[in-house]
């Protein structure tokens, strides 16, 4: 399967590493032999129809350079969109940074890929929050697969659990912790008495936070993930504008102390029932949603099965790369191994 990858951040680098390490394993278990035929970063692209060298791609990024500097294959200044129209890839992996305030460029990548008959795996949440219903329609119209399991829960297979539950039961609602940074901050404030600013600085130091932490602390990242979840699992044609949102920036330490006195903890909860909402809410200390550190938790309310909760890491390069491989295997199996 020929892959084009846009964006060379930590997810892509972990993915390339994994594709190299797991090459024999993926072929033995699934008959899948992915080949990276195009990559693009902010400096340009590298394209080669018979496959680029993964060690060379990783080495140039390690040196802080652009893939477009690679001899013989580098194309300085070539845009992501041009890469898609000029390469022979069957699958686009959209891994450019999630710019919630400016999703247009990534939206253009997805639309171009669909219109050229490419299957798409997106780890970029921004275009999905802006236009997921329209994007799913465009993918269906062009008869291509569209997967994005790494956008919610990173490697934790949140969608797989929810889809399996929905197949035999009915998902009535969802309550979830979808942002690790805010969970870490609230956890530190509750359990260690940390000040908000110190806990945020520590979350940034540990690499949990988005480049602009307002996406985390204002609930934008959680709202984005909630929209994706609601579309896929609950069949709601929702976009970001449909989410009521309150973050934790102004959280009053007195509110945390009052919750503690009542045997409860404040969490940034993303919920989907009658409405879509992200807001700080209290949960009981023994609630499955009272997860520690930067963990994510998704709790489904099922008509017959009651509550089902999945807990796991919701961020990280290698974790998210496993979701991309999961999507790739799924696409490969759905299209009947014909590529
Ligand atoms: N900043 C996000 C979080 C990373 O804290 O959960 C994963 O989207």
């Amino acid at each position: 399967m020929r892959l084009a990858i846009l964006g060379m951040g930590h997810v892509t680098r972990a993915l390339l590493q994994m594709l190299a390490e797991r090459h024999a394993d993926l072929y033995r278990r699934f008959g899948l032999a992915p080949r990276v035929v195009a990559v693009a970063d902010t400096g340009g692209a590298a394209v080669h129809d018979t496959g680029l060298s993964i060690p060379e791609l990783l080495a140039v990024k390690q040196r802080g350079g652009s893939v477009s500097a690679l001899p013989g294959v580098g194309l300085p200044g070539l845009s992501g969109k041009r890469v898609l129209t000029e390469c022979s890839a069957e699958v686009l992996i959209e891994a450019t940074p999630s710019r919630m305030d400016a999703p247009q460029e990534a939206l253009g990548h997805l639309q171009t890929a669909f219109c050229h008959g490419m299957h798409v795996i997106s780890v970029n949440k921004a275009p999905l929050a802006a236009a997921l219903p329209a994007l799913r329609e465009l993918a269906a119209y062009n008869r291509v697969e569209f997967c994005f399991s790494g956008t919610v829960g990173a490697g934790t297979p949140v969608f797989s659990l929810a889809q399996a539950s929905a197949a035999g039961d009915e998902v009535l609602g969802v309550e979830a912790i979808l942002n690790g940074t805010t969970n870490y901050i609230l956890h530190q404030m509750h359990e260690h008495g940390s000040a908000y600013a110190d806990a945020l600085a520590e979350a940034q130091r540990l690499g949990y936070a988005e480049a602009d932490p307002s996406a985390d602390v204002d609930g934008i990242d959680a709202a984005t993930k909630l929209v994706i979840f609601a579309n896929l699992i609950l069949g709601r044609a929702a976009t970001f504008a449909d989410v009521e949102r309150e973050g934790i920036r102004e959280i009053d330490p007195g509110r945390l102390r009052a919750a503690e006195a009542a045997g409860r903890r404040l969490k940034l909860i993303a919920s989907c029932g009658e409405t879509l909402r992200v807001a700080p809410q209290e949960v009981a200390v023994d609630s499955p949603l009272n997860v520690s550190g930067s963990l994510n938790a998704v709790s489904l309310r099922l008509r017959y099965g009651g509550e089902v909760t999945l807990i796991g890491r919701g961020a990280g390069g290698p974790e998210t790369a496993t979701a991309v491989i999961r999507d790739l295997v799924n696409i490969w199996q759905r299209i009947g191994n014909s590529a």
Side-chain angles (χ1 to χ4, degrees):
M1 248 185 160
R2 294 187 295 273
L3 314 180
I5 308 179
L6 302 184
M8 280 293 293
H10 62 296
V11 172
T12 298
R13 293 203 290 270
L15 174 67
L16 291 175
Q17 192 80 47
M18 240 174 244
L19 288 177
E21 275 169 24
R22 299 179 55 190
H23 190 80
D25 178 50
L26 289 172
Y27 189 71
R28 183 179 54 78
R29 288 165 64 203
F30 308 109
L32 175 62
R35 223 172 343 136
V36 180
V37 297
V39 296
D41 59 22
T42 50
V47 179
H48 199 280
D49 273 353
T50 57
L52 294 160
S53 153
I54 289 180
E56 281 177 20
L57 291 172
L58 289 171
V60 77
K61 295 315 289 184
Q62 185 117 40
R63 294 194 298 271
S66 165
V67 294
S68 64
L70 285 173
V73 293
L75 297 160
L78 196 73
S79 71
K81 222 166 168 172
R82 284 275 307 284
V83 169
L84 297 179
T85 55
E86 291 185 15
C87 77
S88 65
E90 287 132 351
V91 181
L92 161 66
I93 297 169
E94 214 311 333
T96 60
S98 284
R99 299 268 318 273
M100 312 301 180
D101 55 335
Q104 292 81 3
E105 191 179 341
L107 262 175
H109 294 156
L110 301 187
Q111 288 159 339
T112 304
F114 291 145
C115 295
H116 280 78
M118 279 182 203
H119 308 292
V120 170
I121 297 170
S122 183
V123 291
N124 188 339
K125 297 165 279 209
L128 278 62
L132 188 50
L135 289 169
R136 292 182 81 198
E137 261 183 46
L138 191 61
Y141 178 79
N142 286 284
R143 298 173 189 275
V144 291
E145 300 290 333
F146 181 27
C147 300
F148 37 86
S149 70
T151 56
V152 182
T156 307
V158 169
F159 294 154
S160 309
L161 171 80
Q163 282 168 323
S165 299
D169 203 321
E170 188 185 343
V171 183
L172 300 175
V174 180
E175 287 202 318
I177 291 170
L178 298 178
N179 182 268
T181 301
T182 45
N183 199 65
Y184 179 83
I185 293 171
L186 292 173
H187 178 81
Q188 292 296 101
M189 291 176 79
H190 268 302
E191 309 307 328
H192 303 288
S194 306
Y196 168 83
D198 295 339
L200 170 59
E202 186 62 6
Q204 287 175 302
R205 194 187 65 75
L206 291 168
Y208 301 148
E210 298 287 320
D212 173 4
S214 53
D216 295 298
V217 299
D218 294 334
I220 296 167
D221 178 66
T224 303
K225 292 168 177 166
L226 182 63
V227 165
I228 298 170
F229 195 92
N231 271 272
L232 192 68
I233 307 303
L234 297 160
R236 304 267 182 98
T239 63
F240 186 75
D242 298 312
V243 186
E244 289 170 32
R245 177 170 54 83
E246 179 191 335
I248 66 160
R249 195 189 284 271
E250 308 293 340
I251 205 91
D252 172 10
R255 201 172 155 193
L256 272 81
R257 302 286 90 86
E260 285 165 19
R264 301 175 75 78
R265 296 288 183 269
L266 265 186
K267 296 277 169 191
L268 187 68
I269 302 291
S271 58
C272 181
E274 292 286 298
T275 55
L276 300 181
R277 184 160 180 254
V278 172
Q281 286 183 45
E282 289 184 15
V283 301
V285 171
D286 60 358
S287 160
L289 289 177
N290 185 22
V291 290
S292 63
S294 64
L295 287 173
N296 281 199
V298 176
S299 201
L300 306 174
R301 197 158 31 83
L302 304 174
R303 180 180 292 282
Y304 301 99
E307 195 184 20
V308 176
T309 304
L310 184 63
I311 296 169
R313 292 188 212 166
E319 290 84 347
T320 309
T322 66
V324 174
I325 292 182
R326 180 166 67 225
D327 285 347
L328 203 54
V329 169
N330 280 337
I331 291 175
W332 177 243
Q333 290 178 332
R334 269 187 237 145
I335 62 174
N337 305 354
S338 59

